[in-house]
Amino acid sequence: MRIRLTAGTAEATGHLYSNATSRDFASLLPVTITTHDLGGREIAGPLPRALTGGDGRSDYRAGQLGYWSPSSDLAIYHHEDGFRIPSPGIVMIGEIETGLDAILAAAPDRPLTITTD
């Protein structure tokens, strides 16, 4: 599924992976969350409800969207620094293809809206 992320006038596009957690996330769309910077490697913000779990992993790539089940947060990774995500790991649900830098500049501490594209 194609997605669009919007923060102010900044936009990015991407897609969701084909897994149960991604499909559950898609059922929330459109969704607006407020993000904050986390460790200089990701922006993250709480979703309105918990999602169906999946297999968590300890690694990520810049541009990937992940779901952190302990706090029901959506994470958008932007910096690869070798950090290993602790247990239960992050469930990867999609990735941004274009506009990552624009979203990063606009999103922290302001609403980020994700819709189908």
Side-chain angles (χ1 to χ4, degrees), residues 85-105:
I85 300 163
S87 182
I90 192 93
V91 179
M92 294 305 172
I93 63 169
E95 65 186 87
I96 295 176
E97 298 161 353
T98 64
L100 177 61
D101 290 339
I103 289 297
L104 294 175

Side-chain angles (χ1 to χ4, degrees), residues 33-115:
I33 62 173
T34 298
T35 63
H36 61 278
D37 182 75
L38 188 58
R41 79 181 62 83
E42 66 191 88
I43 58 173
L47 293 172
R49 65 168 172 81
L51 300 179
T52 302
D55 293 331
R57 26 181 325 166
S58 62
D59 61 332
Y60 62 91
R61 290 188 322 272
Q64 284 188 302
L65 284 76
Y67 172 65
W68 176 247
S69 61
S71 57
S72 300
D73 279 357
L74 175 70
I76 301 171
Y77 291 94
H78 60 85
H79 180 71
E80 297 173 32
D81 60 1
F83 177 77
R84 305 298 288 178
I85 300 163
S87 182
I90 192 93
V91 179
M92 294 305 172
I93 63 169
E95 65 186 87
I96 295 176
E97 298 161 353
T98 64
L100 177 61
D101 290 339
I103 289 297
L104 294 175
D109 302 318
R110 69 181 304 173
L112 172 70
T113 300
I114 305 167
T115 61

